[in-house]
Amino acid sequence: MTMSDFPQYACKYSLELASKSKAFARQVFLSRKEFQKETEFSADPFSETGEASKCHGLKQRFPDRVLIMTSDRCFMNCRHCTRRGLLGKASVVKTSQEIDECVNYVKAHKKVRDVLLSGGDALTLSDKKIMEFVDAFSSLDQIDVVRVCTRALSTNPQRVTRSLAKKLGASGKVWVNTQFNCADEVTEEARQAAKLLVNAGIPVSCQTVLLKGVNDSGPKMLKLLKALSASRIRPYYVFMCDPVAGTRHFHVSVEKAREIERYCAERIGGLSLPRFVADFPKAKRKIPIDMI
């Protein structure tokens, strides 16, 4: 993998935050370690361009849910990104005809009840386009949940407006899945973005990634979890870093992850305690770290 495969990019807000936070900066700025040879890591570990690809821009790994590639852009190219080898190359759903194709796939697979609008970052799209996706899937009786997957709350929180939150909350089916990896990211702007969503009736959940040099200690993780729950953002998962080419320098050992989980569990209530898991290719579920 070369720099041209996944160039360094961050919007103004992210760059300003990186200038104040070493932990966040580690997620923003390219490192030479990304180009070390790795034999066991892949640019597409979950076969999203292969077996998981079911129709244009739709991925399915689990029976009850599908992922829609709504965008191939983000507000920041996170250096640990699972799709760092795919962004800019993956099939993205753009036209109304392509959305209809995805809707028809969902209708034909009655077990699907959960649709993830992802990418890239769904909120890089216009409000109108986001709602085209939301309305297409939330109108289906079989769908209980439409997840808007975005890191905007931590990388560009001004993108979340009162108007957008109101539109997203209208169907009563939208959840927002976001990602915060260190307490420095829970800024006043981030808290206000979360407040707009929650007050519009939208549950907000956080999927943190365990990253060396960012949040790989009990005190660091605990500080993040407290900051999230104080902002009404539910800590949902802490993921082991995925086996993606260019990310080995971010990986934390399973033993260390268990130590961090124990530290947090002994100091914070269940409402603020996420599940520590790993996502393995071909696994039928997210695997708790105590089962690895």
Side-chain angles (χ1 to χ4, degrees), residues 40-201:
E40 73 274 38
F41 286 10
S42 165
D44 183 15
F46 301 108
S47 192
E48 291 191 341
T49 57
E51 185 180 352
S53 182
K54 304 302 181 181
C55 67
H56 184 89
L58 184 149
K59 318 295 179 185
Q60 185 174 24
R61 296 175 54 210
F62 305 101
D64 73 323
R65 52 203 183 273
V66 297
L67 182 147
I68 311 297
M69 292 290 291
T70 65
S71 170
D72 61 359
R73 297 184 299 117
C74 292
F75 298 108
M76 177 178 110
N77 282 354
C78 303
R79 304 319 305 174
H80 59 279
C81 179
T82 297
R83 297 195 180 98
R84 54 181 284 137
L86 304 180
L87 292 185
K89 305 170 188 174
S91 297
V92 173
V93 177
K94 295 181 178 179
T95 67
S96 296
Q97 182 179 351
E98 289 167 350
I99 294 176
D100 289 343
E101 183 182 352
C102 294
V103 167
N104 289 334
Y105 177 91
V106 169
K107 287 180 177 179
H109 294 78
K110 299 300 183 183
K111 290 183 179 179
V112 176
R113 55 172 293 276
D114 183 354
V115 175
L116 287 73
L117 304 179
S118 188
D121 193 314
L123 292 197
T124 58
L125 303 173
S126 67
D127 288 12
K128 180 179 179 181
K129 192 65 180 180
I130 294 167
M131 293 312 302
E132 187 177 352
F133 281 103
V134 169
D135 292 342
F137 293 104
S138 64
S139 64
L140 301 180
D141 289 341
Q142 76 186 79
I143 297 302
D144 297 325
V145 175
V146 177
R147 289 194 244 179
V148 175
C149 302
T150 177
R151 208 183 169 190
L153 279 74
S154 60
T155 60
N156 191 30
Q158 296 92 337
R159 175 64 187 91
V160 180
T161 63
R162 190 177 305 277
S163 174
L164 176 59
K166 183 178 180 180
K167 291 172 187 174
L168 290 174
S171 71
K173 291 187 177 183
V174 169
W175 294 54
V176 165
N177 269 22
T178 191
Q179 181 184 144
F180 287 81
N181 293 326
C182 67
D184 293 343
E185 297 169 32
V186 190
T187 63
E188 180 57 30
E189 293 91 340
R191 287 189 287 270
Q192 287 302 314
K195 181 178 179 179
L196 288 173
L197 293 168
V198 174
N199 285 357

Side-chain angles (χ1 to χ4, degrees), residues 13-58:
Y13 175 91
S14 292
L15 288 173
E16 289 178 351
L17 182 55
S19 70
K20 305 170 188 175
S21 168
K22 290 183 179 179
F24 188 67
R26 185 163 167 78
Q27 303 169 63
V28 173
F29 298 119
L30 185 144
S31 166
R32 292 181 180 179
K33 293 178 181 178
E34 295 179 35
F35 309 117
Q36 294 175 348
K37 289 185 179 180
E38 299 161 337
T39 57
E40 73 274 38
F41 286 10
S42 165
D44 183 15
F46 301 108
S47 192
E48 291 191 341
T49 57
E51 185 180 352
S53 182
K54 304 302 181 181
C55 67
H56 184 89
L58 184 149

